[in-house]
Amino acid sequence: MKTVELMVRATCGSCERVAGQIAPVVKRHDARLVLVDVDGDEDLAAEYGDRVPVVVIDGDEFACWEVDNDDLEAELSN
């Protein structure tokens, strides 16, 4: 099972939008979606800064700010 992490901030409207956008795609592929608040971890806050939302699949950064659902589908199909 693949793990899709979405790096977010509580105050990020785009983060909420992207989470809603990708959730059905992740579910279709029986992957696990985990929302990670970067402000809860000093290292993550430093790494991702203002680049949230960031999609990370099995530890590899996949997309930043905007996500193409077709590209996500293809990646999760591999």
Side-chain angles (χ1 to χ4, degrees), residues 6 19 26 28 38-39 43 49 59:
L6 184 61
V26 173
R28 263 196 306 278
V38 300
D39 290 328
D43 293 333

Side-chain angles (χ1 to χ4, degrees), residues 19-50:
Q21 172 192 331
I22 68 171
V25 176
V26 173
K27 185 176 181 178
R28 263 196 306 278
H29 289 275
D30 294 321
R32 186 171 74 120
L33 179 59
V34 179
L35 302 183
V36 179
D37 185 341
V38 300
D39 290 328
D41 182 298
E42 214 173 90
D43 293 333
L44 291 177
E47 180 176 351
Y48 293 104
D50 292 330

Side-chain angles (χ1 to χ4, degrees), residues 47-58:
E47 180 176 351
Y48 293 104
D50 292 330
R51 297 187 310 126
V52 294
V54 177
V55 176
V56 177
I57 301 174
D58 290 338

